[in-house]
Amino acid sequence: MLSVMLATHNEARAEVGVPDLVLDNDLNRQALAYAEEMARTGMFQHSKGSDRPGQGENLWAGTASAFPYERMSGAWIDEKRFFIDAEFPNVSTTGNWQDVGHYTQIVWRDTTRFGCGIATGLGRDWLVCRYSPPGNVLGRRVF
């Protein structure tokens, strides 16, 4: 799973000319712990920012064993169809930055490290990816 996430993230970054991300074992561990928590509780929501200082976070959930890893990360990357290269948060053709927020986190120039974890529970796969330094910073350009 990690090799697929690394490849898909870095392919998206290469398309816009930003350096590759590097997998970080600590971020992998933290992402897995939160994926396991969501799988246990069924609560699909971002973790508290205070629980992940200096980290951005992307979440995905879907029917257990129904989606290949490429499709999970691809859902985030497909948001680029609404992306506008401008200062955050004015980065979406829809006028709502949340419509591209997963994508912008993936391609955020200043982000250098990331980690992912996936857990299965309650009939779903729960994917969490963490990013450091975090993206989606107000008033900054994505790349």
Side-chain angles (χ1 to χ4, degrees):
M1 182 271 296
L2 291 175
S3 63
V4 171
M5 290 296 149
L6 180 63
T8 58
H9 277 64
N10 284 338
E11 285 169 16
R13 291 175 69 84
E15 285 179 6
V16 297
V18 297
D20 284 353
L21 294 173
V22 175
L23 275 174
D24 181 287
N25 288 333
D26 192 45
L27 292 174
N28 288 335
R29 182 186 55 74
Q30 293 176 48
L32 177 58
Y34 191 62
E36 289 171 341
E37 181 179 327
M38 287 195 306
R40 190 174 50 256
T41 65
M43 298 292 294
F44 184 75
Q45 61 188 22
H46 283 286
S47 62
K48 295 177 194 169
S50 59
D51 290 343
R52 55 179 165 86
Q55 298 175 16
E57 181 176 73
N58 279 349
L59 306 178
W60 181 94
T63 304
S65 302
F67 298 92
Y69 301 131
E70 293 87 354
R71 188 148 173 219
M72 295 173 185
S73 59
W76 297 332
I77 295 165
D78 286 346
E79 293 173 357
K80 70 182 172 186
R81 70 186 184 274
F82 300 120
F83 175 72
I84 298 170
D85 184 11
E87 284 186 0
F88 192 85
N90 304 312
V91 291
S92 177
T93 60
T94 68
N96 184 355
W97 72 264
Q98 288 94 340
D99 292 337
V100 298
H102 301 101
Y103 173 71
T104 53
Q105 175 57 87
I106 289 170
V107 299
W108 197 265
R109 175 175 295 283
D110 295 338
T111 299
T112 58
R113 299 175 296 115
F114 90 118
C116 298
I118 190 166
T120 302
L122 305 174
R124 303 182 89 182
D125 287 332
W126 307 81
L127 172 66
V128 176
C129 290
R130 297 274 178 91
Y131 305 83
S132 183
N136 298 341
V137 179
L138 291 174
R140 306 267 308 273
R141 293 191 76 86
V142 178
F143 39 80

